[in-house]
Amino acid sequence: MKKKVTGGFSLSPPLKALKQKLEIQQSQVAIFEPNMVFIPLSQHIGAPAQPIVQPGDYVKQGQVIGESDAFVSAKVHASVSGKVLDITEWPNQNNETTQTIVIENDFTYDNDFLSTPFHWEETANDVIKQKIQQAGIAGKGGATFPTHVKFAIDETKKIDTLVLNGAECEPFLSSDALLMEQKAEQIIEGARIARKLLHDPVIIIGIEDDKPLAIAAMKKAAAPYSFIQIEVLPTVYPTGGEKQLVEVLLDREVPLGKLTADIGVILMNVATSFAITEAVCWNKPLINRYTTVTGDVQHPQVIQSPIGTLAGELIDFAGGFQGAPSKVILGGPMMGRTVTTLRVPTTKGSNGVLVFNEDNDWLFTENPCIRCNKCVEACPMRLMPLSIDQYFRAGDYDKCDELLAEACISCGACTFVCPARRNLAATITDAKNKVIALKKEAMQHA
């Protein structure tokens, strides 16, 4: 049963016009092949991978180059074939550095992928799970949670619904929409594989109504399967948020501190479902992805490139900057991260590169809070962003805890609607992390 998402917002007419301009209308994805890739060993939730190659080694495309003994982690693979040039500290999207493997692309794309598909229908679930883990799949919607961990579910939990997230509710991004248009059958096959691992729940695929071509392609691909429903959602941000999507589609609320699995639901991004098909059927690990490059660039477009491609090279491939660059965001405008260098590489979760020029600087200039309450109305988690922001800036973390800062999903809706342009989402995320850290510290000293 669909219901209206709590909080959030729809775009104003001027922003709808800008969204239509920036969301690329293309029938084929553009392909970019860089001369070198810079592959971070930490691009997922959980323990970072450790390098298992050395400078000077030749690696095949898809070869494991980093792994960890930890269960909550993800293997890292060479996204091209060629020579390992270096293992070094390199900039990442957190404006820090992380251990990174640099590979020179020999453009042969030498690999061991299957030439005929593996038939999984009668295969033991443990074998399929192993293939997914070996492929290093992590959530491609941005959360980057290792996918094999999602299928390691306590047997006491009965999963009755698998939700595929095709909402792509962040303004300006088109990567998932184009993927659904082009690869609908593979996405559906990945969902069927996941359904087998979860003991046959129903599948619901949610897609926002501003993606008619994607909706048509997915409905056609899903038509043979009675257990798959395509639900068309209103274009309201952040309908694509995990908890919001469950509430809209199923009228179920995820309790604070609980997971969707606790109420019988597993969620997966459509791009993750596609990656499962590639891994299970073709032995192809997660080594490339669709990335929307848009904003103040000459030719906004969706680009397929190897993981580890530098943001600056994707911008150059899209024709370069339009006007004097001022701000570059890796991800979407709401939940993406501003980066301070164009040498930041794409990762498994890089769904967008968004550029703003100096003419749009006014969008980011903070002013005093006018207590208008718009952030409260927009918050999908029913929080009070203005108050959490105020107490965090004052250093009153106990009050932030009382106001449930931990429940923040970092959707950015509060910042977007704030007429004073206050960076509420950033401070509330900081408050959330501070509260969590203080609780952990208190438990250690208890």
Side-chain angles (χ1 to χ4, degrees):
M1 180 174 68
K2 288 189 291 181
K3 61 176 288 187
K4 186 178 184 296
V5 67
T6 302
F9 58 85
S10 300
L11 294 179
S12 63
L15 279 173
K16 282 184 179 178
L18 178 61
K19 180 174 183 283
Q20 289 174 353
K21 176 184 175 183
L22 295 182
E23 287 187 340
I24 303 94
Q25 303 299 314
Q26 63 189 87
S27 59
Q28 294 296 323
V29 65
I31 297 176
F32 176 63
E33 300 175 333
N35 292 321
M36 289 191 294
V37 290
F38 300 76
I39 303 176
L41 288 168
S42 180
Q43 47 180 304
H44 48 266
I45 289 175
Q50 300 300 317
I52 59 172
V53 293
Q54 298 293 329
D57 288 353
Y58 174 83
V59 293
K60 290 185 175 185
Q61 184 187 37
Q63 179 179 329
V64 178
I65 59 175
E67 60 186 4
S68 168
D69 292 334
F71 181 64
V72 183
S73 185
K75 294 179 186 293
V76 175
H77 303 77
S79 56
V80 299
S81 57
K83 181 181 178 181
V84 176
L85 297 180
D86 199 4
I87 301 175
T88 185
E89 292 293 317
W90 194 263
N92 65 15
Q93 62 183 13
N94 296 322
N95 296 311
E96 300 170 345
T97 61
T98 192
Q99 196 172 28
T100 299
I101 298 177
V102 184
I103 303 173
E104 183 179 32
N105 189 358
D106 66 5
F107 295 97
T108 67
Y109 300 104
D110 180 21
N111 62 64
D112 292 324
F113 307 154
L114 297 179
S115 56
T116 56
F118 173 80
H119 296 290
W120 52 269
E121 289 86 346
E122 303 302 323
T123 303
N125 282 356
D126 285 346
V127 174
I128 296 174
K129 290 177 184 178
Q130 187 176 19
K131 287 170 77 73
I132 292 171
Q133 184 172 7
Q134 183 66 26
I137 300 173
K140 295 179 75 175
T144 65
F145 188 77
T147 302
H148 69 273
V149 180
K150 280 198 172 187
F151 297 121
I153 300 169
D154 189 328
E155 291 295 331
T156 62
K157 294 178 181 176
K158 170 61 178 174
I159 304 301
D160 57 62
T161 309
L162 169 64
V163 172
L164 254 63
N165 187 348
E168 195 170 34
C169 61
E170 280 244 33
F172 314 151
L173 298 187
S174 307
S175 305
D176 287 351
L178 188 56
L179 183 71
M180 285 187 283
E181 291 173 32
Q182 294 187 337
K183 306 292 184 181
E185 290 183 2
Q186 293 93 323
I187 292 169
I188 294 298
E189 183 159 18
R192 291 170 52 223
I193 293 169
R195 180 176 186 262
K196 181 179 188 301
L197 300 180
L198 297 170
H199 307 295
D200 300 332
V202 298
I203 299 172
I204 302 178
I205 304 173
I207 310 172
E208 287 193 338
D209 58 12
D210 63 344
K211 302 172 179 60
L213 296 179
I215 292 167
M218 293 295 285
K219 282 186 174 180
K220 181 179 179 181
Y225 307 104
S226 61
F227 50 82
I228 300 179
Q229 303 168 229
I230 307 293
E231 293 287 352
V232 180
L233 309 169
T235 303
V236 177
Y237 182 84
T239 301
E242 182 178 78
K243 294 181 179 180
Q244 286 67 44
L245 191 57
V246 169
E247 188 172 351
V248 169
L249 291 174
L250 302 173
D251 197 18
R252 301 183 198 175
E253 188 170 337
V254 183
L256 184 62
K258 297 291 185 179
L259 303 174
T260 60
D262 294 314
I263 59 169
V265 183
I266 291 292
L267 275 87
M268 192 166 66
N269 182 266
V270 290
T272 308
S273 183
F274 174 71
I276 287 175
T277 297
E278 291 208 303
V280 174
C281 298
W282 302 99
N283 279 5
K284 183 179 179 181
L286 179 47
I287 55 175
N288 54 34
R289 65 159 302 137
Y290 286 15
T291 302
T292 304
V293 182
T294 190
D296 293 315
V297 295
Q298 298 292 338
H299 306 294
Q301 57 192 285
V302 176
I303 302 171
Q304 178 180 300
S305 62
I307 287 171
T309 301
L310 299 184
E313 291 192 288
L314 289 176
I315 292 170
D316 289 342
F317 185 74
F321 295 108
Q322 190 175 65
S326 175
K327 193 182 189 77
V328 175
I329 298 172
L330 217 60
M334 307 303 300
M335 299 184 73
R337 295 174 180 268
T338 301
V339 294
T340 57
T341 173
L342 298 180
R343 298 189 302 155
V344 174
T346 58
T347 64
K348 297 176 182 183
S350 298
N351 52 4
V353 177
L354 181 60
V355 176
F356 289 100
N357 63 27
E358 289 181 347
D359 293 339
N360 293 316
D361 271 348
W362 64 273
L363 290 169
F364 309 104
T365 303
E366 278 198 349
N367 291 289
C369 175
I370 61 174
R371 315 291 290 181
C372 67
N373 218 42
K374 286 186 177 180
C375 59
V376 178
E377 295 172 357
C379 179
M381 296 303 294
R382 309 177 183 90
L383 304 179
M384 296 185 66
L386 76 169
S387 297
I388 299 173
D389 174 70
Q390 172 190 347
Y391 285 114
F392 176 76
R393 294 183 192 228
D396 191 340
Y397 307 128
D398 289 336
K399 197 67 177 178
C400 293
D401 187 20
E402 289 178 24
L403 291 168
L404 301 179
E406 281 185 86
C408 174
I409 61 172
S410 303
C411 70
C414 52
T415 296
F416 188 85
V417 300
C418 178
R421 306 297 173 195
R422 294 181 71 78
N423 199 358
L424 298 169
T427 55
I428 295 167
T429 298
D430 288 343
K432 169 184 177 178
N433 293 336
K434 186 69 174 179
V435 167
I436 292 172
L438 289 173
K439 287 184 176 180
K440 285 183 179 178
E441 185 178 335
M443 289 179 62
Q444 290 172 354
H445 291 90

